[in-house]
Amino acid sequence: MSGANRHYVLAAGGTGGHLIPAFALATELDRRGHHVALITDERGAAIPGKPDFLPAHTLPAGRFGKNPLNWIKGAKAVFEGRKMALRLFESFEPSAVIGFGGYPSMPALLASTSAGIPSLVHEQNAVLGRVNRLLAGRVQAIATAYPEIKRLKPKHADKVHLVGNPVRAEVLQLREEPFPAFTEEGLLRVLITGGSQGASVLSEIVPDGLAMLPPALRSRLQVIQQCRAEDIDAVRERYRNHDIPAELGTYFENMAERLADAHLFIGRAGASTIAELTAVGRPAILIPLPIATDDHQTANARELSKSGGARSIPQPAFTAKELAKQIQALAQRPDTLGTAAHAAWNCGRPKAVKDLADLIESAGGDELMDVIRVDNTQSRGARQQSSAPQGAAKDNAQ
């Protein structure tokens, strides 16, 4: 099946959360000898990380907010985008179209379903997004990242294939590396990020929370924190006053290396963040973004929290005192962090991009390839337990 040269169209909203998995799938399909094109908006076309071989086509995509006055304008943009997508399909002749959510994916998927081209959607979050909800009845398959998906209608459940969230190759390469050694005398390396734009609440709370740790633990801290540009000077001053060494920046290019060295992650619960934490196996304290659509970050954090790989703190309860309490609970003994790391690792789905590519390759055939994980928690956990990095397995022996 993968030997045949085919054409595929990927359609994604203009944010990293939608585009990172799209870029990963494009790379895998290109490796298999297929031709791939991307449909997005102007924001998406400008996002760093797009593979050089991947042509990007920008289409108008209306937004439908709460104000009904914007709906007519949004509908006009969508139908204009649909016409442009149909013209593209006439020349590119895709075997299938897969949408990754966001309004820019809507015109392409509407065009594919009207033209009789097999279509699929991939949902990165634990709540089915608005566009994917609208199109769930039209597509042949719904690829998901979590075993439990909210806002999915029961009548569409038979379309679901659990594949996970594709992650960057440099992050996935770290999966078989052992968890960094953590001893009672060694450094405790903490990585704090707030997504692509940082998060002011982390800048306000984290330095004071770390300062409330017992002196024996606080003296061993090594902190790396991503901040908003407008916050960075104040955060630097807070760490200086607390006498805690911290490396601060508005953006870190080598995030994979930072994650590899970290003993503990503190940050938001975006889909890509959790996919990378579980791919590598890193314990986390997660503060879901309260204004996220349908509160999807709280849902994203649920599986990892239930496994013991993370602590999830609602933002209203996120205080310096609560943060210090949770860090102490995780770092009080060397084996506690290691156990949490292994739990996070067991939630990972390292074959996500391969499973997603298999699924899209099977689109249009007599039967879609079934890549769903049956009895997901037990079967995958048992398989991965035996193949875990030796350091992690050894550290986490009960």
Side-chain angles (χ1 to χ4, degrees), residues 389-398:
Q390 292 183 357
K394 182 178 178 181
D395 290 343
N396 293 301
Q398 295 293 323

Side-chain angles (χ1 to χ4, degrees), residues 2-6 27-35 361:
S2 62
N5 182 283
R6 299 178 185 173
T27 301
E28 176 65 14
L29 291 173
D30 178 75
R31 187 189 68 80
R32 297 185 183 195
H34 302 305
H35 296 288
E361 278 186 336

Side-chain angles (χ1 to χ4, degrees), residues 8-58:
Y8 294 105
V9 169
L10 314 185
T15 66
H18 297 305
L19 284 165
I20 287 173
F23 292 162
L25 176 62
T27 301
E28 176 65 14
L29 291 173
D30 178 75
R31 187 189 68 80
R32 297 185 183 195
H34 302 305
H35 296 288
V36 191
L38 173 70
I39 287 178
T40 185
D41 59 9
E42 292 182 357
R43 288 187 308 159
I47 282 182
K50 183 179 74 65
D52 293 337
F53 63 81
L54 183 65
H57 302 268
T58 58

Side-chain angles (χ1 to χ4, degrees), residues 17 124-127 146 165 193-195 199 202 265-277 284-290 292-293 295-305 310-315:
Q124 299 89 53
N125 295 300
V127 180
Y146 297 91
N165 259 330
T193 76
L202 298 177
F265 172 87
I266 302 173
R268 295 300 195 189
S272 295
T273 295
I274 290 185
E276 294 191 349
L277 290 171
I285 294 174
L286 302 172
I287 304 90
L289 179 67
T293 305
D295 196 23
H296 66 253
Q297 287 203 4
T298 296
N300 290 352
R302 190 164 292 122
E303 182 189 19
L304 187 53
S305 298
R311 310 289 179 99
S312 183
I313 307 174
Q315 186 161 312

Side-chain angles (χ1 to χ4, degrees), residues 233-262:
D233 289 338
V235 176
R236 184 174 288 112
E237 185 65 21
R238 287 190 183 207
Y239 278 119
R240 185 182 296 115
N241 291 338
H242 294 316
D243 196 25
I244 295 175
E247 178 184 351
L248 307 180
T250 57
Y251 178 76
F252 295 119
E253 290 187 1
N254 57 340
M255 190 56 73
E257 295 177 20
R258 310 286 183 160
L259 193 58
D261 291 337

Side-chain angles (χ1 to χ4, degrees), residues 180-388:
F182 177 63
T183 65
E184 292 183 358
E185 292 80 26
L187 290 173
L188 173 60
R189 293 190 289 272
V190 182
L191 175 64
I192 305 108
T193 76
S196 59
Q197 299 299 317
S200 292
V201 69
L202 298 177
S203 297
E204 295 167 5
I205 300 297
V206 173
D208 294 345
L210 295 176
M212 295 178 71
L213 292 172
L217 186 58
R218 189 177 71 178
S219 65
R220 296 156 50 202
L221 287 171
Q222 187 177 76
V223 177
I224 297 175
Q225 183 165 351
Q226 176 212 8
C227 310
R228 291 178 183 268
E230 59 267 31
D231 296 336
I232 196 165
D233 289 338
V235 176
R236 184 174 288 112
E237 185 65 21
R238 287 190 183 207
Y239 278 119
R240 185 182 296 115
N241 291 338
H242 294 316
D243 196 25
I244 295 175
E247 178 184 351
L248 307 180
T250 57
Y251 178 76
F252 295 119
E253 290 187 1
N254 57 340
M255 190 56 73
E257 295 177 20
R258 310 286 183 160
L259 193 58
D261 291 337
H263 294 113
L264 178 64
F265 172 87
I266 302 173
R268 295 300 195 189
S272 295
T273 295
I274 290 185
E276 294 191 349
L277 290 171
T278 56
V280 180
R282 290 297 179 269
I285 294 174
L286 302 172
I287 304 90
L289 179 67
I291 61 171
T293 305
D294 297 318
D295 196 23
H296 66 253
Q297 287 203 4
T298 296
N300 290 352
R302 190 164 292 122
E303 182 189 19
L304 187 53
S305 298
K306 284 184 177 179
S307 76
R311 310 289 179 99
S312 183
I313 307 174
Q315 186 161 312
F318 183 54
T319 63
K321 184 177 181 180
E322 180 63 21
L323 176 61
K325 174 185 171 182
Q326 296 298 340
I327 294 174
Q328 278 187 262
L330 283 167
Q332 60 186 346
R333 296 195 312 271
D335 62 332
T336 306
L337 271 179
T339 300
H342 194 60
W345 191 90
N346 263 345
C347 288
R349 295 180 175 89
K351 295 182 179 180
V353 71
K354 293 180 181 179
D355 285 347
L356 189 56
D358 287 345
L359 183 64
I360 194 173
E361 278 186 336
S362 70
D366 294 334
E367 185 176 351
L368 279 169
M369 179 175 291
D370 185 12
V371 296
I372 193 168
R373 299 290 189 263
V374 180
D375 191 18
N376 178 65
T377 303
Q378 295 181 3
S379 62
R380 192 187 70 252
R383 287 199 303 273
Q384 291 190 346
Q385 185 83 17
S386 62
S387 62

